[in-house]
Amino acid sequence: MATANVSVNKPTTLSEIFHDMPPALIKELERLEFTTSYPSEAVLFVEGQTPRGVFVVLRGRVKLSVCSRDGKTLILRIAKAGEVLGISASVSSCAYEATAETLEASEISFVKRADVLRLMHEHNHLALWLAENLSHEYSFTCREVRNLMLAESASGRLARFLVDSLDKNSTPQQPGRMKLGLTHEEMAQMIGSSRETVTRTLATFKRRHLVEQNGATLIIRDRMALESMVPA
C-alpha cells in the first residue's frame, strides 16, 4: 500500500493515492477532505504546532524542514504529489516535528485529525497504510542522517544530493537532465551546509565539466565522477 507513483507536475486525487482501499473508505475520505490551492512559500504547518490533521499533496512540491535554536535550517525532504504529511503528529497527538512550506503553486487536500483517527479505528486498511508510510519516513530519515554523517566534505554531500536528485527527477527521454527548482540556499539546507559553500562547489563542478546549468535545468555531464566523491 505505497504512496501513489505520480508525476511531479501531474495533479492527482485521493482516489488515485488510496486506490487499493475499499471504495467505501475512499468515498468517505473524499467527503471529509478540504482541498485548497496554495501559492509558493505558503506554510501548511509549523514545527512545534499542535497537530490539526494530515495534508495530502495533490499537485506541486512541499519542503519539510527543522530549525535549530541558533536559527539554522535543515530541509529534511521534498514531498511531491501523492505524499501524505503530518501522519506521525496526528496519530501520536504530539506536535508537528517539522515545518511544511510549499516550494511552488500547489494543491493540497486536508483531513482533520479527529476524522483520521476515527477512520483508522473503523478501517484496518487505512491504519496499515499509514503505518507503512510512517515506516518509510523513518527509514528515509535514518538514511539521510547517515549520509550527512558519512559525507564529511561539502563536495561529497552536494555530489550525493545531485545524483539522488537526478534519479528522482530525470526522465527516460532525458536521463542526464533535471529541473531542481531549488535555490542555492535551499540546496545548502538540504545538505547541512551554507549557501556560499554550495555556490562555490557548484562553480567548481562546472569548471571540471561535471555539471552544466541552462536556466532552471541542471545537466549531469559526469555522473561517475560525482559518485566517486560519495562515501560508500
Side-chain angles (χ1 to χ4, degrees), residues 126-190:
L126 180 62
L128 179 59
W129 192 93
L130 293 174
E132 288 181 348
N133 273 263
L134 280 175
S135 177
H136 292 322
E137 286 185 18
Y138 174 76
S139 297
F140 175 84
T141 301
C142 288
R143 275 198 313 273
E144 290 302 294
V145 171
R146 175 181 178 275
N147 288 333
L148 283 175
M149 292 175 63
L150 291 179
E152 297 181 356
S153 68
S155 58
R157 294 199 298 273
L158 183 58
R160 179 184 61 81
F161 170 73
L162 293 176
V163 171
D164 288 349
S165 297
L166 182 65
D167 291 338
K168 295 174 184 176
N169 298 299
S170 64
T171 63
Q173 294 76 24
Q174 296 181 316
R177 295 170 176 261
M178 60 178 168
K179 288 189 176 181
L180 275 178
L182 298 174
T183 65
H184 286 190
E185 178 68 27
E186 288 167 334
M187 282 191 274
Q189 292 170 354
M190 291 287 294

Side-chain angles (χ1 to χ4, degrees), residues 188-202:
Q189 292 170 354
M190 291 287 294
I191 67 172
S193 187
S194 67
R195 180 189 59 77
E196 294 79 9
T197 298
V198 166
T199 300
R200 184 170 60 251
T201 305
L202 270 179

Side-chain angles (χ1 to χ4, degrees), residues 22 26 56 58 71 78-79 93 129 144 159 170 178 200 211 220:
I26 295 176
V56 186
L58 302 181
I78 305 296
S93 76
W129 192 93
E144 290 302 294
S170 64
M178 60 178 168
R200 184 170 60 251
V211 302
I220 303 298

